[in-house]
Amino acid sequence: MITAAQLAQAMQCPLPRAQRWAEPLNAAMKRFGISTPLRAAHFLAQLGHESLSLGRVEEGLSYSRDRLLEVFGKYVTPAEAAAFVHQPVKLGNRVYAKRNGNGVESSGDGHRYRGRGPMMHTGRGNYRRIGELIGQPLEELPALLLEPETGAMAAAAFWAGNGLNAHADQRDVLAVSRVVNLGNARSRATPNGFADRTARLQRCMAALGVR
């Protein structure tokens, strides 16, 4: 069990936010076998990175031209970029079309199933799969992932379903990070945001008394 005070320390977030999330996270970790302080530290570190310390649980997709091309240059050309600047619906539908179970761009699936929850689940197929694991209709009601109880449970289900407890037991933060989110760093030696993930892990371990 992690207390709200420990969670606030681990996440470096305001105590009221930690109080809102502590009980749902404890319930989720208990259900999906995140059952040691070391496992919890790895889990919380990844959540902290993906959700900006539990402060962002929905992908915004409103980008400047430069940032848009940095993140989604594979899907939007420089010549097209101006049409997608600060256009989150249009951008989501383009960059997530025909990926992770989504339909074509015109289906609207890209924006409808954009990143949500503290683990930033993305794509219609992933919403369906995670929903089945936790017994929630996420495909039909994607906004359920914004609720701490559902978002925490979905994150823990993803964690367990991808065998991440085993990597945590081996203290392999690189392996954990690669599974959680490679971002646009597939050709690099280390995954997206690895330095922040590692720093967060150290803070989580300190908060939970892990040596």
Side-chain angles (χ1 to χ4, degrees), residues 38-118:
L38 180 60
R39 290 178 179 184
H42 277 270
F43 177 65
L44 295 173
Q46 296 294 330
L47 289 191
H49 177 84
E50 292 297 321
S51 66
L52 300 179
S53 299
L54 301 173
R56 181 197 67 175
V57 292
E58 185 170 42
E59 189 176 13
L61 291 171
S62 183
Y63 289 106
S64 67
R65 182 180 187 278
D66 288 347
R67 180 59 176 160
L68 186 157
L69 290 173
E70 179 185 352
V71 177
F72 294 117
K74 180 179 178 181
Y75 305 99
V76 178
T77 68
E80 297 175 311
F84 292 91
V85 171
H86 300 306
Q87 296 290 328
V89 176
K90 186 175 182 180
L91 179 63
N93 288 335
R94 163 62 71 87
V95 301
Y96 292 134
K98 297 188 287 187
R99 298 169 59 193
N100 297 320
N102 287 342
V104 298
E105 189 172 345
S106 61
S107 71
D109 283 353
H111 185 258
R112 184 177 302 113
Y113 299 105
R114 63 192 180 277
R116 287 193 185 89

Side-chain angles (χ1 to χ4, degrees), residues 171-194:
R171 297 175 179 256
D172 194 341
V173 62
L174 178 57
V176 170
S177 300
R178 287 191 178 283
V179 173
V180 171
N181 185 6
L182 284 172
N184 293 328
R186 292 185 184 278
S187 62
R188 303 177 194 167
T190 55
N192 189 29
F194 185 65

Side-chain angles (χ1 to χ4, degrees), residues 21 25 46-52 54-59 113-122 127 130 138 142-156:
W21 281 91
L25 285 169
Q46 296 294 330
L47 289 191
H49 177 84
E50 292 297 321
S51 66
L52 300 179
L54 301 173
R56 181 197 67 175
V57 292
E58 185 170 42
E59 189 176 13
Y113 299 105
R114 63 192 180 277
R116 287 193 185 89
M119 195 65 87
M120 284 292 146
H121 305 292
T122 306
Y127 275 58
I130 296 295
L138 300 184
L144 286 175
L145 280 172
L146 305 182
E147 300 174 0
E149 293 76 11
T150 305
M153 201 64 72

Side-chain angles (χ1 to χ4, degrees), residues 1-2 6 9-10 36-38 40-41 44 203-210:
M1 297 288 288
I2 184 170
Q6 287 174 314
Q9 179 186 344
T36 68
L38 180 60
L44 295 173
R203 290 198 296 271
C204 290
M205 289 175 67
L208 296 177
V210 180

Side-chain angles (χ1 to χ4, degrees), residues 32 100-101 113 119 121-140 153-163 179:
F32 286 100
N100 297 320
Y113 299 105
M119 195 65 87
H121 305 292
T122 306
R124 186 171 195 149
N126 289 327
Y127 275 58
R128 181 187 307 120
R129 182 174 66 87
I130 296 295
E132 290 170 351
L133 288 175
I134 65 174
Q136 292 287 345
L138 300 184
E139 185 177 6
E140 294 77 18
M153 201 64 72
F158 169 88
W159 183 272
N162 283 279
V179 173

Side-chain angles (χ1 to χ4, degrees), residues 190-204:
T190 55
N192 189 29
F194 185 65
D196 181 65
R197 295 173 197 272
T198 302
R200 286 179 180 276
L201 175 60
Q202 295 306 311
R203 290 198 296 271
C204 290

